[in-house]
Amino acid sequence: DAKTTQPPSMDCAEGRAANLPCNHSTISGNEYVYWYRQIHSQGPQYIIHGLKNNETNEMASLIITEDRKSSTLILPHATLRDTAVYYCIVRDTGANSKLTFGKGITLSVRP
Amino acid sequence: NAGVMQNPRHLVRRRGQEARLRCSPMKGHSHVYWYRQLPEEGLKFMVYLQKENIIDESGMPKERFSAEFPKEGPSILRIQQVVRGDSAAYFCASSSGHLNTEAFFGQGTRLTVV
């Protein structure tokens, strides 16, 4: 019952920007967009989250469209260690609700 | 500031035994979430607990599984009479409880039932 859709996979060259798309057309006004990644069956790693404004941190940037129906996670300079499954998650702001993971997108960074 | 600690990292149980998985949240965090990941599958929510309270157990199997988060000590996920289908990676995450804050995950416990 994930509320997001992502392509199953993509690849990019090492050193280039990786732009990972996510559709969340049914997002409601009180829901945030979160991104996590899972590297080879390790514990999921938090990347970034946002409501409607674009966000940037040391790992990535999150671009959310004005209508909030889609977003893009940008890894500005992908490295081989960024190869992972990336999950885009819509989460209700209320009461620290659970994160519902979908299938995610498998990013393969090639040398 | 230590992250979320799970132990053991690997656990082997024979069918019919009990498995106890422990999760110590990050310092200052009072909310814990448990997830299960079957081989080659995605992460499935199991239960969400706050200190001494179960907030959401909508993902917990109806039988054999239970979870607690006592006032003192780690959160425990308990699986009674394990079966081969329980073999999976079990992850816990913790958060501070403040609105719109991220949850951080541990490295998981890999349970193998033989």
Side-chain angles (χ1 to χ4, degrees):
Chain A
D1 57 345
K3 296 180 68 172
T4 62
T5 56
Q6 301 175 255
S9 63
M10 67 176 290
D11 62 22
C12 75
E14 189 177 18
R16 304 298 294 269
N19 298 301
L20 285 69
C22 180
N23 287 322
H24 31 80
S25 58
T26 62
I27 194 170
S28 60
N30 61 341
E31 290 178 320
Y32 274 65
V33 179
Y34 281 74
W35 283 83
Y36 281 77
R37 72 181 183 184
Q38 188 174 27
I39 298 172
H40 195 244
S41 299
Q42 295 179 18
Q45 179 186 21
Y46 166 79
I47 301 173
I48 200 166
H49 73 284
L51 182 64
K52 54 183 178 181
N53 296 322
N54 298 336
E55 302 287 344
T56 295
N57 63 21
E58 64 278 5
M59 288 184 70
S61 295
L62 174 60
I63 308 299
I64 302 174
T65 57
E66 192 169 342
D67 64 7
R68 303 209 319 124
K69 293 183 185 298
S70 65
S71 61
T72 301
L73 179 75
I74 300 172
L75 307 178
H77 305 287
T79 71
L80 298 178
R81 287 177 294 180
D82 292 321
T83 293
V85 179
Y86 287 77
Y87 298 96
C88 169
I89 299 165
V90 164
R91 186 190 191 195
D92 196 301
T93 58
N96 286 282
S97 60
K98 61 182 182 280
L99 296 158
T100 300
F101 289 80
K103 296 183 190 297
I105 178 172
T106 300
L107 173 67
S108 300
V109 180
R110 60 181 189 276
Chain B
N1 184 15
V4 178
M5 303 300 291
Q6 290 188 249
N7 66 82
R9 293 292 307 277
H10 300 275
L11 181 62
V12 179
R13 284 286 177 267
R14 296 185 186 281
R15 281 178 293 172
Q17 290 184 318
E18 178 180 286
R20 281 182 176 248
L21 288 61
R22 287 177 290 279
C23 171
S24 296
M26 288 180 68
K27 186 177 180 181
H29 285 188
S30 58
H31 294 237
V32 165
Y33 309 78
W34 284 94
Y35 288 79
R36 176 166 66 174
Q37 188 169 34
L38 294 167
E40 307 304 321
E41 293 192 13
L43 289 137
K44 300 298 183 187
F45 168 78
M46 299 181 76
V47 63
Y48 163 31
L49 309 103
Q50 197 179 349
K51 284 282 187 180
E52 300 185 278
N53 290 305
I54 295 175
I55 307 300
D56 180 353
E57 56 181 347
S58 58
M60 283 284 267
K62 295 287 185 278
E63 297 177 345
R64 303 187 296 108
F65 285 72
S66 62
E68 63 176 9
F69 189 16
K71 187 176 180 180
E72 301 291 338
S75 175
I76 306 288
L77 179 68
R78 181 182 178 206
I79 312 172
Q80 295 178 289
Q81 299 175 312
V82 296
V83 301
R84 288 236 171 95
D86 297 331
S87 296
Y90 292 82
F91 294 99
C92 89
S94 74
S95 70
S96 65
H98 297 128
L99 290 180
N100 311 320
T101 55
E102 56 272 33
F104 295 96
F105 283 79
Q107 288 306 302
T109 293
R110 277 148 188 84
L111 172 66
T112 302
V113 179
V114 296

